[in-house]
Amino acid sequence: MPFLPLEKGKVGMYTCGPTVYNYAHIGNLRTYLFEDFLRRTLEYAGFKVQHVMNVTDVGHLTDDGDAGEDKIIKSSRETGRSVWDIAQMYTEAFFRDIERLNIKRPTIVCKATDHIPEMIELVKRLEERGFTYEAGGNIYFSIDKFPDYGKLAQLDLKDLKAGARIEVDANKRNPHDFVLWFTRSKFEHQAMLWDSPWGRGYPGWHLECSAMSMKYLGEQFDIHCGGIDHIPVHHTNEIAQSEAATGKCPWVRYWLHGEFLVIDREKMSKSKGGFLTLDRLVQEGFDPLDYRYFCLGGHYRSQLQFSFEALKAAQSARRSLWDRVSQWHRDESKSLESLHSKGKQYITQFQQHLANDLNTPQALADLWAVVKDPDISEAEKFLLVEEMDQVLGLRLTERSTEQLDPELESLIREREQARKNRDFARSDEIRALLKSKGILLEDTPKGTRWKRISSL
Ligand code: AMP
Ligand code: ZN
């Protein structure tokens, strides 16, 4: 399908952001990585991308429906910290994670708690246009007033048995109606409350994404992304309330959803616990970019099976790439225009693979083909890798100019000597000591390299 933005050369892109009641798990991070591959591909193709992402710092509900416990309150109860502190702490952790994965920071990051007036405005518009009703103190969206309801997920509403999967709220006229504004909380000790025309309360789950995306990207925009689980409820409800409020259709021109990261055939999920974080991967000796490489190797619309063995394979592949590329240098007299036809062909192929529904596994294969090609000079390879890495984001041609503390330098030299003497116990001891100081070592045929790990 060709991509045609609303305005030539520009792209408005909204991606659903994190719910900050816990650390992001590596499944969540897979989705943010896919969105970064998309954004970088669009920028590489010459578009100016306005990327907006929300931070859900108002408590989500633990279920798809309106049942369950507010997740931020739950976390607050379990840790004894205030809801505001919890949201702040996990927001910072999230941005640390995406930086380490070399995910570009969105052009605009917007917090739900900073946009309550915009959400109230949206509910007022829906009320004026007759899409809402009040019941039991809450304001609901009536899906029966919106005949297109469920078009994204191609939902057959007759097939969806009321109450089969979700606890049905007795106030609802249709079980798939959803709350726009709560004044009657099911949860005690609700800490985040705001005044509204319907009473003191808080917004429903889906409202923030419609209100904030339209504020920053306009009432109609180009791309909306998220994980595949958002199709049947969250994005379906976002579309209903946005199109109902503005009367403009389509609200969003292109929807892209990332498939799940799975472990032992089970989806990794925040609510269930037992999830892996990026910090855990780092503690196991991986570089965050190993995980980036691992995700590039799977197409975003296919499930990706995670295992530490598979991550190890990604790690050695990435290190091997890095080792080769680190031996090459930029030749200032060379430019992409001066490449031989074979080099140019690689670029064309790379672009075609990305343009074909973001085929990152093929794009990665193109990079390897360049690296291994005996007919291309090293200076040309350097240029081609640098070009491709604008999208792949593996930092392959970046060179560290940072000087290490002399004491740490001397530990690295001592370890090299210990390795030469086959004193592996001392060598491992020094590696562990450096790791505790935030320095990760990689042994390569060209000697030992070091890297700073900001998270430890
Ligand atoms: P949340 O913070 O729970 O709202 O999730 C953030 C993003 O991660 C959403 O776009 C989800 O759809 C996505 N997501 C949740 N679980 C997974 C998973 N196992 N694999 C990939 N993406 C996921
Ligand atoms: Zn959203």
Side-chain angles (χ1 to χ4, degrees):
M1 189 200 291
F3 172 68
L4 293 170
L6 277 171
E7 206 180 320
K8 197 164 175 273
K10 292 188 178 168
V11 176
M13 167 168 158
Y14 184 86
T15 58
C16 289
T19 312
V20 284
Y21 65 92
N22 201 341
Y23 293 105
H25 59 60
I26 57 172
N28 302 135
L29 295 174
R30 180 192 185 196
T31 294
Y32 301 116
L33 278 165
F34 130 65
E35 292 160 352
D36 186 59
F37 304 151
L38 173 65
R39 170 175 170 183
R40 285 172 180 262
T41 298
L42 290 164
E43 287 178 341
Y44 179 64
F47 292 101
K48 186 163 173 19
V49 180
Q50 179 80 345
H51 175 195
V52 178
M53 189 183 75
N54 64 306
V55 171
T56 303
D57 55 350
V58 181
H60 247 173
L61 309 172
T62 38
D63 276 353
D64 281 351
D66 305 321
E69 187 178 15
D70 179 304
K71 291 166 174 172
I72 295 181
I73 295 180
K74 182 163 177 261
S75 184
S76 164
R77 186 167 45 70
E78 286 166 359
T79 58
R81 303 171 67 144
S82 83
V83 284
W84 303 94
D85 272 3
I86 289 191
Q88 181 63 24
M89 179 180 104
Y90 290 119
T91 303
E92 283 166 15
F94 173 75
F95 283 106
R96 238 182 6 253
D97 281 354
I98 69 164
E99 193 188 320
R100 287 184 296 166
L101 288 165
N102 201 18
I103 292 175
K104 286 190 172 185
R105 206 182 159 91
T107 331
I108 294 173
V109 174
C110 38
K111 289 205 275 184
T113 49
D114 289 340
H115 295 79
I116 303 295
E118 286 83 354
M119 295 186 220
I120 291 175
E121 262 326 292
L122 194 58
V123 182
K124 279 206 229 157
R125 278 174 88 176
L126 289 167
E127 194 173 42
E128 278 157 22
R129 295 174 70 102
F131 288 96
T132 66
Y133 61 93
E134 190 272 342
N138 297 329
I139 305 298
Y140 292 84
F141 182 92
S142 172
I143 68 159
D144 296 325
K145 298 269 168 58
F146 187 73
D148 267 356
Y149 186 82
K151 63 184 169 181
L152 176 75
Q154 295 171 337
L155 297 181
D156 183 347
L157 294 177
K158 287 189 291 305
D159 274 3
L160 292 170
K161 286 197 201 77
R165 202 168 55 89
I166 54 172
E167 178 198 322
V168 177
D169 173 348
N171 293 318
K172 289 183 181 180
R173 293 179 187 165
N174 180 316
H176 295 279
D177 288 349
F178 53 94
V179 183
L180 296 166
W181 190 266
F182 289 90
T183 61
R184 198 72 46 78
S185 175
K186 293 196 190 79
F187 323 119
E188 286 173 28
H189 317 301
Q190 180 76 36
M192 292 180 172
L193 292 169
W194 294 268
D195 288 326
S196 84
W198 315 280
R200 201 164 164 72
Y202 59 97
W205 177 19
H206 316 290
L207 201 58
E208 64 177 287
C209 289
S210 293
M212 295 195 274
S213 60
M214 291 200 277
K215 169 166 179 171
Y216 295 107
L217 296 172
E219 291 188 348
Q220 291 179 294
F221 58 92
D222 299 303
I223 298 179
H224 195 315
C225 302
I228 194 159
D229 54 331
H230 284 341
I231 298 174
V233 181
H234 183 48
H235 289 168
T236 288
N237 291 350
E238 278 187 37
I239 293 171
Q241 66 199 0
S242 305
E243 293 184 358
T246 65
K248 294 179 186 164
C249 180
W251 173 48
V252 169
R253 292 165 74 80
Y254 301 92
W255 288 87
L256 284 90
H257 291 95
E259 250 292 1
F260 280 143
L261 180 83
V262 289
I263 298 193
D264 298 332
R265 269 171 261 291
E266 258 214 59
K267 168 198 164 210
M268 184 170 284
S269 100
K270 245 184 217 183
S271 324
K272 284 186 197 151
F275 58 82
L276 294 171
T277 59
L278 190 61
D279 273 347
R280 170 77 196 285
L281 303 190
V282 171
Q283 279 153 17
E284 297 284 336
F286 293 98
D287 186 304
L289 294 180
D290 295 333
Y291 186 61
R292 186 175 176 103
Y293 185 99
F294 173 74
C295 290
L296 279 165
H299 189 257
Y300 78 96
R301 282 198 295 115
S302 302
Q303 284 197 346
L304 185 60
Q305 276 284 349
F306 179 83
S307 68
F308 277 104
E309 293 75 55
L311 186 60
K312 264 222 140 7
Q315 179 183 51
S316 48
R318 190 192 63 80
R319 282 182 178 175
S320 153
L321 263 179
W322 210 98
D323 289 342
R324 292 167 195 238
V325 180
S326 63
Q327 294 166 34
W328 309 330
H329 300 283
R330 184 193 315 280
D331 176 348
E332 297 298 347
S333 68
K334 292 235 177 322
S335 67
L336 279 183
E337 290 69 44
S338 71
L339 283 177
H340 289 105
S341 64
K342 202 168 180 196
K344 287 191 173 129
Q345 211 177 312
Y346 275 124
I347 293 290
T348 309
Q349 206 171 296
F350 176 76
Q351 290 169 346
Q352 283 169 349
H353 283 141
L354 289 170
N356 182 14
D357 196 18
L358 211 61
N359 196 334
T360 56
Q362 281 297 337
L364 202 54
D366 293 331
L367 176 76
W368 272 105
V370 166
V371 168
K372 288 186 170 167
D373 192 325
D375 300 335
I376 302 182
S377 73
E378 291 185 352
E380 284 190 328
K381 285 184 183 190
F382 187 92
L383 264 184
L384 286 164
V385 170
E386 191 174 47
E387 178 75 3
M388 293 179 173
D389 211 25
Q390 287 178 46
V391 177
L392 303 175
L394 294 168
R395 299 191 191 278
L396 291 169
T397 54
E398 290 177 21
R399 302 281 183 262
S400 171
T401 50
E402 192 189 354
Q403 286 297 305
L404 205 54
D405 194 86
E407 188 198 336
L408 300 180
E409 281 282 11
S410 92
L411 274 171
I412 294 178
R413 277 196 302 277
E414 186 190 334
R415 182 173 168 277
E416 275 176 354
Q417 196 52 50
R419 271 161 54 85
K420 276 192 195 130
N421 301 340
R422 307 190 65 75
D423 181 356
F424 297 118
R426 178 65 186 146
S427 151
D428 287 349
E429 196 178 47
I430 297 175
R431 176 194 281 277
L433 179 65
L434 286 165
K435 196 170 158 191
S436 72
K437 293 177 185 294
I439 303 293
L440 192 68
L441 297 183
E442 283 192 84
D443 297 313
T444 77
K446 291 233 137 192
T448 301
R449 285 201 318 254
W450 63 269
K451 206 163 220 185
R452 218 174 267 291
I453 326 165
S454 51
S455 66
L456 289 181

